[in-house]
Amino acid sequence: AQSVAQPEDQVNVAEGNPLTVKCTYSVSGNPYLFWYVQYPNRGLQFLLKYITGDNLVKGSYGFEAEFNKSQTSFHLKKPSALVSDSALYFCAVSNYGGATNKLIFGTGTLLAVQP
Amino acid sequence: DTAVSQTPKYLVTQMGNDKSIKCEQNLGHDTMYWYKQDSKKFLKIMFSYNNKELIINETVPNRFSPKSPDKAHLNLHINSLELGDSAVYFCASRQSTLSGNTIYFGEGSWLTVV
């Protein structure tokens, strides 16, 4: 069975500093990995995904994530944090299966960027 | 243009009532989902439909009944509402023809049962 772990409930970072939000996964076979962001009282917005190819994936709002197969990790990164990046971030893994495809989410990490 | 739209956004209702949440997507996708986010922000899939056919039913109480009149719409009807049904319900959609295709979410429906 697929699963995702986000070990940090909250990450605090000062504006302008680099940020990392951690995610590890457990899947059988090759993983499809996703990051979503949820702003207060809003829906889930897709940030980026890894399907295959280059291990460094670039996404929306200057975010990127690095797929590391040996460490089964897919950490989200940004070189310089903004106060407006403060939100809840979810890592997710997708199973195979065409019509039976579904996302399995981690527990979320609250990112707080201080001015 | 809103890709996945759901109504209402906020709903406050009493225990025992029956309520519905509607969802529409204009992305031309063939698969739609309902996810539930509880008070601890955990997200869990409830149902998925592919071309109006129920594909995933994740041991949700039968008080919850999804209906898909066509592949662009997936509604959620909840009978005899309980306090524990208070949550945020997210509709989502995806094109199933490629395994890595992105699932896109609506803005959520905040249900409070009092």
Side-chain angles (χ1 to χ4, degrees):
Chain A
Q2 289 87 5
S3 66
V4 170
Q6 293 181 244
E8 302 154 318
D9 290 338
Q10 183 162 337
V11 169
N12 298 307
V13 64
E15 189 173 31
N17 283 0
L19 70 87
T20 298
V21 183
K22 295 180 180 177
C23 172
T24 58
Y25 65 89
S26 174
V27 299
S28 52
N30 294 323
Y32 296 155
L33 296 160
F34 298 78
W35 277 101
Y36 286 82
V37 60
Q38 184 178 21
Y39 297 100
N41 297 322
R42 299 294 302 276
L44 292 159
Q45 294 182 30
F46 168 71
L47 276 180
L48 51 79
K49 67 182 178 183
Y50 173 81
I51 304 300
T52 187
D54 194 347
N55 288 344
L56 185 64
V57 178
K58 294 189 183 296
S60 307
Y61 312 122
F63 284 93
E64 58 189 28
E66 186 167 12
F67 171 66
N68 188 318
K69 189 171 184 177
S70 62
Q71 296 184 5
T72 61
S73 67
F74 189 55
H75 301 331
L76 182 70
K77 300 181 180 184
K78 188 173 182 181
S80 178
L82 299 172
V83 172
S84 57
D85 292 331
S86 298
L88 186 57
Y89 290 81
F90 290 96
C91 184
V93 65
S94 170
N95 61 334
Y96 296 131
T100 63
N101 182 280
K102 63 182 180 183
L103 281 174
I104 296 163
F105 285 91
T107 51
T109 299
L110 184 64
L111 174 65
V113 181
Q114 284 90 31
Chain B
D1 283 346
T2 302
V4 182
S5 58
Q6 46 185 118
T7 56
K9 179 156 186 175
Y10 299 103
L11 182 57
V12 181
T13 188
Q14 291 188 326
M15 276 195 306
N17 284 353
D18 304 338
K19 291 295 177 185
S20 292
I21 306 171
K22 295 185 177 182
C23 179
E24 176 182 3
Q25 55 93 5
N26 63 4
L27 296 167
H29 291 165
D30 61 358
T31 302
M32 295 185 72
Y33 305 82
W34 280 109
Y35 276 81
K36 178 179 179 180
Q37 185 175 43
D38 65 20
S39 59
K40 294 184 178 177
K41 306 296 186 184
F42 295 155
L43 281 156
K44 190 162 187 243
I45 189 168
M46 300 173 69
F47 303 102
S48 80
Y49 271 73
N50 177 264
N51 285 316
K52 304 192 297 176
E53 181 183 352
L54 179 65
I55 300 297
I56 296 173
N57 183 340
E58 291 277 319
T59 58
V60 177
N62 58 15
R63 297 184 295 104
F64 290 78
S65 52
K67 283 190 174 52
S68 182
D70 55 63
K71 70 176 188 178
H73 295 83
L74 179 61
N75 304 322
L76 183 65
H77 188 76
I78 315 171
N79 290 326
S80 303
L81 278 155
E82 300 177 356
L83 293 176
D85 297 331
S86 296
V88 185
Y89 293 86
F90 285 105
C91 180
S93 75
R94 172 184 171 268
Q95 183 59 30
S96 70
T97 45
L98 289 174
S99 293
N101 275 357
T102 302
I103 297 178
Y104 292 96
F105 288 81
E107 288 285 298
S109 294
W110 270 252
L111 173 65
T112 302
V113 182
V114 297

